[in-house]
Amino acid sequence: MNRIFEYFPTLTDKQRQQIDALQPLYTDWNAKINVISRKDIDQLYEHHVLHSLAIARYVEQEMGGFAPGTQIVDVGCGGGFPGIPLAIFYPECKFLLVDRIGKKVRVAQEVATAIGLQNVEFRHAGIEEVKQEFDYAVSRAVMVLPDLVKLVKRCTKRGLITLKGGDLAEELAPKSCQATKVVPISNYFSEEFFSTKNVLYTPLK
């Protein structure tokens, strides 16, 4: 957790308190509803929170940040990643976290309520069921990129930012994905966990 504060030294006291609270909350919920791998829960801050915040680092360095009021949808949020860490980081933006699995949405909602996040809403649904419009979509390894681009294009005005690892050549080959920018997370964070992981930005204009 301290590494997060080292990487993001401008976090406010409230943001630090919200991040501090995530480990006990997720540990408690994970014992009831398994939303994070049992072997992974002890690495929550590195493997889930910091990983999610790689999107924030990309947005800050490559896009100049999200303007207040930016509308963002997290597609396939699972237990709340990357949406909850991003909502903590961007309190003036509005987030909708969407997942097809109701129990995961419930955990994410309970965690957000417990830490006092007021800029997030949740929906137990597939993204194709969501009717509102967003500036950006975010996700973490939900599906292959061409399929994800196709799903979010109708409801997202500007771009898709997703976290993916491994060999991406096949996913980037279709025309819809050829403008995708790929940035290794190792450019931002030094932990070995991130050595094969990337932030991908696909413009949707």
Side-chain angles (χ1 to χ4, degrees):
M1 181 177 59
N2 288 336
R3 292 291 283 167
I4 294 173
F5 301 152
E6 290 172 14
Y7 284 125
F8 298 96
T10 61
L11 291 169
T12 66
D13 288 344
K14 181 178 180 179
Q15 288 170 318
R16 288 169 179 254
Q17 289 164 8
Q18 288 173 323
I19 290 171
D20 276 340
L22 294 178
Q23 182 76 60
L25 285 166
Y26 274 107
T27 299
D28 181 56
W29 274 105
N30 216 51
K32 305 170 193 172
I33 300 172
N34 188 23
V35 294
I36 295 172
S37 164
R38 301 285 186 190
K39 64 181 182 180
D40 228 18
I41 192 68
D42 292 337
Q43 302 298 324
L44 178 81
Y45 284 113
E46 181 177 313
H47 293 186
H48 299 277
V49 181
L50 188 56
H51 190 203
S52 298
L53 289 175
I55 290 178
R57 180 68 91 209
Y58 175 85
V59 169
E60 294 301 299
Q61 292 195 359
E62 304 293 334
M63 301 167 56
F66 284 141
T70 298
Q71 302 265 359
I72 300 148
V73 61
D74 178 356
V75 183
C77 67
F81 301 100
I84 285 178
L86 291 174
I88 293 172
F89 194 86
Y90 291 109
E92 295 184 346
C93 297
K94 296 182 179 180
F95 290 81
L96 176 66
L97 276 59
V98 177
D99 201 282
R100 295 178 183 277
I101 301 175
K103 67 178 183 179
K104 293 185 176 182
V105 175
R106 181 191 171 202
V107 171
Q109 191 162 22
E110 294 285 351
V111 168
T113 299
I115 64 174
L117 270 186
Q118 297 182 349
N119 59 332
V120 290
E121 294 180 0
F122 299 86
R123 195 163 307 166
H124 174 204
I127 186 61
E128 65 276 8
E129 300 171 64
V130 176
K131 304 304 180 187
Q132 66 204 83
E133 191 172 60
F134 305 90
D135 297 298
Y136 295 95
V138 298
S139 77
R140 187 169 71 149
V142 170
M143 63 185 73
V144 295
L145 189 61
D147 292 349
L148 185 57
V149 168
K150 184 177 180 181
L151 279 176
V152 303
K153 218 173 176 182
R154 62 165 192 84
C155 64
T156 307
K157 293 185 287 188
R158 302 186 66 180
L160 166 67
I161 312 170
T162 188
L163 298 165
K164 280 186 168 287
D167 184 357
L168 299 169
E170 189 172 333
E171 292 190 50
L172 298 174
K175 187 176 180 180
S176 63
C177 302
Q178 287 175 2
T180 299
K181 182 174 183 179
V182 180
V183 178
I185 296 178
S186 58
N187 287 7
Y188 306 140
F189 307 142
S190 62
E191 285 76 4
E192 178 64 25
F193 175 73
F194 300 113
S195 62
T196 62
K197 293 177 169 52
N198 308 283
V199 178
L200 280 65
Y201 176 70
T202 307
L204 297 174
K205 287 182 180 179

